[in-house]
Amino acid sequence: MSKQFAVIGNPIEQSRSPELHHAFAEKTGIDLNYTQRLAPLDGFESSVKQFFADNGIGMNVTVPFKEQAFALCEQLTERAKIAKAVNTLWMQNGMLHGDNTDGQGLVEAIQALDWNLIKSKILIIGAGGATRGVIYPLVKAGAKEIVIANRTLARAEQLISDLQHAVPEAQLKACGLDQLQGDFDLVINATSASLSGDVLALPDNLHFKYAYEMAYGKPSSFLDQAKSRGVPTSEGFGMLVGQAIEAFSIWNGVKPNLKDFI
Ligand code: ATR
């Protein structure tokens, strides 16, 4: 029987994980079956337990269950502990293991674009779960200074007080959206503004070499403004592929090449 994998979330129909994992399997010659599981909002834990009791090998976790997955795991990777969220589950020695591959997915997508992260100065707009998950991998990949700009300044400050100790080699700073200014190598939009069709205004005295939008498949005022300045840009499909590749390599011990799938 093929190895069984699944992505669990609510809603779940929009997930592109089955298509990606089947494409990786074809490329690497691994026999697997990867399905979608819709869990009721109060039924995440029982759905996960059932999947592994039925000899499932690995699960991806998506909205709104990543924090619940974190709480359920008996063993966590360092980056999952720091993110306080889990998107990749597997059983090992009878224990539920959890990792968070989202941040590494972003790093690999940026590296595949040949955008330099070594000693970089990065501006991240947004201070929610998406930002929390990427700080540690960005610093491990070489970022030296990260400014977190958020509509609600207190949330950016809280995130920094939670995370600075985990990345002592980098400097983290908070600012409000009304204080966006200065020179950056890279600016990342980690807000949900594009998902809700809201406009993010990038002022003229904010300068950057590259712009990355974590969302994909939606109009993005953030990307439109970056493009109109002639700056290289990317939307978040590469990050999605990157997190999937990282999960695939944890489960199957083989790492597909990101550039083959973007
Ligand atoms: P996620 O887990 O995807 O990060 P989240 O935790 O709900 O989602 O965080 C959403 C982020 O987008 C927050 O930083 C939010 O800013 P606030 O903390 O001030 O709410 C930001 N955001 C959402 N809509 C926005 C908008 N229209 N303009 C600016 N920031 C916005």
Side-chain angles (χ1 to χ4, degrees):
M1 200 175 98
S2 9
K3 300 206 263 182
Q4 299 296 313
F5 298 91
V7 57
I8 182 167
N10 187 334
I12 199 63
E13 313 79 59
Q14 79 295 344
S15 172
R16 297 189 62 179
S17 292
E19 145 200 352
L20 289 173
H21 281 266
H22 284 128
F24 304 157
E26 192 171 328
K27 193 87 181 170
T28 55
I30 288 173
D31 180 20
L32 63 78
N33 183 32
Y34 189 115
T35 56
Q36 293 180 337
R37 292 206 161 198
L38 176 70
L41 292 175
D42 62 353
F44 173 72
E45 182 171 346
S46 58
S47 197
V48 169
K49 292 201 163 140
Q50 191 61 53
F51 174 81
F52 287 107
D54 294 341
N55 296 317
I57 303 284
M59 261 191 153
N60 282 130
V61 181
T62 189
V63 178
F65 298 127
K66 291 185 189 183
E67 287 78 17
Q68 277 187 57
F70 169 78
L72 197 60
C73 286
E74 295 153 288
Q75 289 288 328
L76 292 159
T77 61
E78 188 62 19
R79 61 194 184 188
K81 284 182 198 162
I82 292 164
K84 291 194 165 67
V86 156
N87 77 334
T88 303
L89 296 170
W90 69 99
M91 291 296 283
Q92 203 174 311
N93 305 326
M95 281 186 290
L96 185 64
H97 282 58
D99 193 1
N100 189 317
T101 67
D102 288 329
Q104 188 58 25
L106 173 67
V107 164
E108 292 190 17
I110 290 170
Q111 289 169 340
L113 290 160
D114 290 327
W115 297 357
N116 176 47
L117 287 171
I118 307 293
K119 296 196 163 64
S120 60
K121 183 176 173 189
I122 301 177
L123 170 66
I124 304 181
I125 307 177
T131 299
R132 184 177 285 276
V134 301
I135 303 276
Y136 179 77
L138 284 171
V139 171
K140 293 296 150 196
K144 271 283 163 263
E145 186 179 332
I146 301 181
V147 175
I148 299 165
N150 201 44
R151 183 172 59 182
T152 314
L153 174 62
R155 213 172 161 202
E157 289 171 339
Q158 181 63 50
L159 201 143
I160 288 171
S161 77
D162 290 350
L163 292 187
Q164 180 68 78
H165 72 94
V167 289
E169 64 272 50
Q171 196 181 10
L172 304 183
K173 293 180 186 165
C175 77
L177 275 191
D178 49 351
Q179 299 161 311
L180 286 182
Q181 58 166 315
D183 290 305
F184 295 88
D185 296 297
L186 168 65
V187 53
I188 299 170
N189 183 14
T191 72
S192 48
S194 303
L195 300 177
S196 50
D198 295 340
V199 170
L200 275 184
L202 304 182
D204 290 339
N205 58 354
L206 174 66
H207 303 283
F208 49 91
K209 293 185 199 148
Y210 313 109
Y212 199 95
E213 163 72 82
M214 281 198 194
Y216 67 90
K218 298 268 182 191
S220 160
S221 71
F222 167 79
L223 284 186
D224 291 346
Q225 292 168 78
K227 282 177 192 159
S228 75
R229 296 175 182 208
V231 164
T233 63
S234 175
E235 58 171 5
F237 185 65
M239 177 177 177
L240 178 83
V241 177
Q243 65 74 30
I245 280 180
E246 193 73 5
F248 186 93
S249 85
I250 291 167
W251 296 328
N252 298 299
V254 185
K255 193 163 180 180
N257 184 356
L258 182 78
K259 286 186 181 171
D260 289 339
F261 302 94
I262 50 174

